[in-house]
Amino acid sequence: MTRQCNSTRGRQWQGFHRLGQRVCGASLASRAAACVRDAGFSLVEVLLATTLTLVVFGSLWEVTTHAERTARAGPAAVDLSERSRVAADLIARDLYVAGAGLDEGPRAGPLGRYVAAVLPRRVGGVGADAPEAARADAITLLWVPDTHVQSHPAGFFSGTTLTVGDGPGCPATMPACGVREDAGLLVFDQTASADLFRVIGLTGSTISLAPRVDPSGHEFGTDAAVAEIEARTYYLDPTTHVLRMSDVDSTDVPVVDGVVGFGIEYFGTPEPPQDPKPPPGVANCLYDEAGVLRPGLATLASGADGLASLPLAMLADGPWCGAGGLRFDVDLLRVRRVRVALRLQAIDAAVRGVGAAFAVSGSGHDAASRVADVEAVVDVAPRNLAIVPGG
Amino acid sequence: MRERRTHPTRPPPARDDGVALLLALVLLCLIAAFGSALVGLTTTERAMAGNHGMSLRGRYAADALAERVVLDLSSVTDWTAVLAGTSSSSFFDEAAATSTPGLDPLDLSGLTTALQGATDGASIVGADTPVWRLFAAGTLAALTGLPRAGPPVFLAAWVADDAADGDGAPGVDANGIVEIRAEAFGADGMRQAVQITLRRGVLYSPETPPGETGEPDAARDAEGLAPIMPNESGAPASAPGPVRLLTWRDVR
């Protein structure tokens, strides 16, 4: 560095300095000190110092902002991954068991022999779709859990008061086959009619019921089945981007946030279904009174796996089975495989960007700190649908 | 001379001396904090993904064992022997429960006792309460024949009489229906189970003309299966033959 003294004294000091320290005396020291106190910085010094400062602090800024972005994007990515896993796992587990029917009695076997266990719409509760609707962003699944409550009506039943007969697996020590209050009950028979209830009262073998869906009005005989039932509806609330789950009754809870896509595809047997077959003299959506299979159900073109794609339009064009809230298109009896595609996004808009990777644009500008939407596909052949004979 | 050692032009130590060190330390701390947070996140995420993968693997493995048991039971002439514990699957390697590398030793007797205890506790059918018998056991690698097929998984399956036959004898099959419970055990406590109900019988199709399978249409039950005809001793006909799943449930 060059000290700058613009006075004569400065020049003198420089001269002394050049002569070396040996000539420095007390008076010289005081002069030099005076010179230093007056000294500033040259333009070059200032520029250099400024540049260095900028470089150092710029690097610091870059490091800290990058770390901050990473610290924000990292948890968002983990959260996104975890949410997609939870949603996919939850739906997959319910799909696996969908259609499980009775273990015991004359109606033992998968539900799909009698009613549609997979419905492409919201059923029951607030916001239920019309039975004739089929939508890609909602699915309802039905199955009989591991339960002793598997029996039949003791007499003709139509309404909300049911007397339960003694099925082969009913506990002798408990009335009404062990039905408990608040349980869900499904009543169905070979006419493809079904009604879904909640138990609201119990007196001996007589049960008071509250309908969970619009009643079918069908009169069930003693050949019908009565079983405890589990029902789940998954649907997307597009306004809040929340995947919700309903028990087809009064409970409707959010499952996963940040869901921006929920699409369901159905695949089934190319041949028309053969069950349920009604008793002689009784017609249903598949058979006439003479027990002859109704014409009009097409054999579909199958894919590589032997199953045919079932577009939504086919699942909402009839012929219709049953009545009331569980009325269903007969083609739903073909269903053997369900593919659910989920798309989830990061909750924090700051880690979302703009473009095809983001269903909902965010404010993130830095590519390194953006977390793209995640797509999860659940492709399940429900075990209990696969064991439905025929089709 | 001492005067000369102190350079007259050197300024006294300034207050900002050592600031670079401080800045470096602060920066280092920041980077370390972010780094350890990211390492923590990555570790957690890896663990969660690993557990999820193991869980899926276990579910499929349990399913595979259930299929194997169904196959074995279809060739067993007398399911009562299975329920009595005198007949077991050809896939039965009990020793592997305690000797499979990478897995904590499993006490199969203890597992059977625990399963039975849970069934007894939940049962309301008295004498017909199912009694579980260990029927099949071994590693997933042995089941699939793929010794290097990922992390080790041990499988065990139990068979019990259904509660609905109403004979009051859980060791005797009176109606050709049994329950199968297949479980998979893996590292870090992974455990998955499926339970299925299996029935012996001839599958009936509505389009099958009456009499084609040897009995009138009316002889078939409403479920569509040929009836299980009792033999002279009152037990169902003992003959290997077609079986079919009535229900499939994963145990939650």
Side-chain angles (χ1 to χ4, degrees):
Chain A
M1 290 180 101
T2 305
R3 304 219 188 301
Q4 186 162 353
C5 292
N6 54 4
S7 65
T8 309
R9 281 195 315 183
R11 281 193 293 275
Q12 287 172 343
W13 178 85
Q14 284 177 332
F16 288 127
H17 188 69
R18 278 194 297 273
L19 287 174
Q21 299 294 318
R22 283 173 297 178
V23 296
C24 291
S27 61
L28 179 61
S30 62
R31 282 187 175 192
C35 176
V36 167
R37 279 196 297 274
D38 293 342
F41 293 99
S42 72
L43 181 61
V44 176
E45 281 178 322
V46 169
L47 283 175
L48 199 57
T50 308
T51 306
L52 277 173
T53 307
L54 282 174
V55 167
V56 169
F57 280 94
S59 304
L60 273 175
W61 176 258
E62 184 60 30
V63 167
T64 49
T65 51
H66 184 75
E68 187 266 340
R69 287 188 211 117
T70 311
R72 182 182 285 189
V78 170
D79 173 65
L80 183 58
S81 169
E82 185 58 19
R83 279 186 290 120
S84 67
R85 217 160 23 223
V86 165
D89 198 47
L90 201 61
I91 294 171
R93 292 200 81 149
D94 284 349
L95 271 173
Y96 274 124
V97 75
L102 278 64
D103 306 284
E104 300 151 0
R107 296 277 167 264
L111 277 183
R113 294 196 63 196
Y114 306 99
V115 294
V118 176
L119 298 158
R121 57 185 168 88
R122 289 178 63 183
V123 175
V126 179
D129 294 313
E132 296 78 17
R135 48 190 274 200
D137 64 348
I139 187 170
T140 297
L141 308 169
L142 302 173
W143 69 91
V144 176
D146 188 12
T147 173
H148 293 292
V149 185
Q150 302 183 16
S151 189
H152 57 85
F156 286 103
F157 162 68
S158 175
T160 55
T161 304
L162 169 69
T163 303
V164 178
D166 282 333
C170 291
T173 54
M174 301 183 76
C177 202
V179 170
R180 56 190 169 75
E181 210 160 310
D182 249 8
L185 275 192
L186 184 72
V187 184
F188 61 93
D189 65 12
Q190 288 173 288
T191 65
S193 296
D195 273 316
L196 188 60
F197 301 98
R198 178 163 42 90
V199 178
I200 55 172
L202 196 59
T203 309
S205 290
T206 302
I207 307 169
S208 298
L209 302 165
R212 286 165 67 172
V213 296
D214 289 339
S216 68
H218 179 71
E219 186 177 64
F220 295 93
T222 53
D223 61 344
V226 176
E228 191 172 336
I229 194 78
E230 289 283 344
R232 296 270 190 287
T233 293
Y234 291 96
Y235 69 97
L236 178 64
D237 182 341
T239 312
T240 56
H241 297 146
V242 171
L243 180 69
R244 301 187 69 90
M245 182 181 74
S246 155
D247 69 345
V248 190
D249 200 356
S250 53
T251 302
D252 189 321
V253 294
V255 177
V256 175
D257 291 328
V259 180
V260 287
F262 184 55
I264 303 156
E265 294 176 85
Y266 300 87
F267 302 88
T269 56
E271 298 80 22
Q274 297 178 2
D275 284 316
K277 188 177 185 184
V282 178
N284 69 5
C285 49
L286 277 176
Y287 294 90
D288 61 19
E289 286 85 351
V292 176
L293 201 61
R294 293 181 189 277
L297 284 174
T299 297
L300 310 172
S302 60
D305 62 351
L307 296 180
S309 175
L310 305 175
L312 284 178
M314 183 186 287
L315 305 178
D317 63 352
W320 298 97
C321 298
L326 290 183
R327 187 178 188 221
F328 61 93
D329 186 299
V330 72
D331 287 309
L332 283 168
L333 295 170
R334 297 179 190 251
V335 174
R336 297 292 184 273
R337 186 157 70 88
V338 180
R339 180 186 292 158
V340 180
L342 286 152
R343 180 170 179 157
L344 293 94
Q345 69 177 10
I347 301 293
D348 187 357
V351 298
R352 298 199 308 267
V354 180
F358 304 94
V360 178
S361 299
S363 57
H365 301 296
D366 178 25
S369 65
R370 288 196 298 238
V371 179
D373 294 354
V374 163
E375 289 186 353
V377 176
V378 177
D379 205 331
V380 176
R383 299 293 189 274
N384 296 286
L385 298 187
I387 59 179
V388 176
Chain B
M1 291 298 286
R2 283 181 185 173
E3 285 289 328
R4 286 172 60 190
R5 280 189 193 136
T6 306
H7 197 291
T9 62
R10 180 173 294 172
R15 285 184 179 178
D16 60 353
D17 273 5
V19 112
L21 178 64
L22 193 63
L23 277 174
L25 283 173
V26 168
L27 188 61
L28 199 63
C29 287
L30 275 174
I31 292 172
F34 285 132
S36 45
L38 282 178
V39 166
L41 271 175
T42 310
T43 310
T44 309
E45 172 61 14
R46 270 183 61 109
M48 287 193 295
N51 287 341
H52 186 248
M54 271 305 287
S55 161
L56 287 178
R57 182 180 170 79
R59 195 185 303 166
Y60 286 124
D63 217 6
L65 179 62
E67 296 277 359
R68 170 59 185 262
V69 170
V70 168
L71 189 67
D72 285 348
L73 286 177
S74 69
S75 65
V76 172
T77 55
D78 185 3
W79 285 357
T80 295
V82 173
L83 301 178
T86 56
S87 174
S88 60
S89 167
S90 55
F91 176 70
F92 198 90
D93 181 9
E94 223 172 340
T98 53
S99 61
T100 303
L103 283 181
D104 292 334
L106 288 167
D107 175 11
L108 288 176
S109 299
L111 288 170
T112 305
T113 306
L115 174 60
Q116 191 59 52
T119 304
D120 292 344
S123 177
I124 48 177
V125 291
D128 284 313
T129 300
V131 174
W132 294 100
R133 303 288 184 192
L134 185 64
F135 180 71
T139 61
L140 177 61
L143 181 69
T144 59
L146 301 169
R148 293 182 182 175
V153 173
F154 185 82
L155 301 165
W158 291 263
V159 178
D161 193 18
D162 69 311
D165 64 0
D167 61 354
V172 176
D173 171 38
N175 60 353
I177 299 177
V178 290
E179 303 278 344
I180 300 165
R181 183 177 174 114
E183 294 202 25
F185 304 87
D188 298 326
M190 184 281 288
R191 188 171 179 178
Q192 292 286 327
V194 299
Q195 189 162 324
I196 63 180
T197 308
L198 185 69
R199 175 167 189 177
R200 194 195 295 281
V202 178
L203 182 64
Y204 165 67
S205 160
E207 291 186 342
T208 306
E212 190 169 284
T213 55
E215 75 279 355
D217 194 35
R220 298 187 181 95
D221 63 16
E223 201 270 325
L225 300 178
I228 305 296
M229 302 301 291
N231 59 22
E232 290 175 356
S233 65
S238 296
V243 294
R244 65 173 294 218
L245 293 179
L246 290 181
T247 56
W248 183 102
R249 296 186 184 92
D250 63 336
V251 180
R252 305 183 184 195

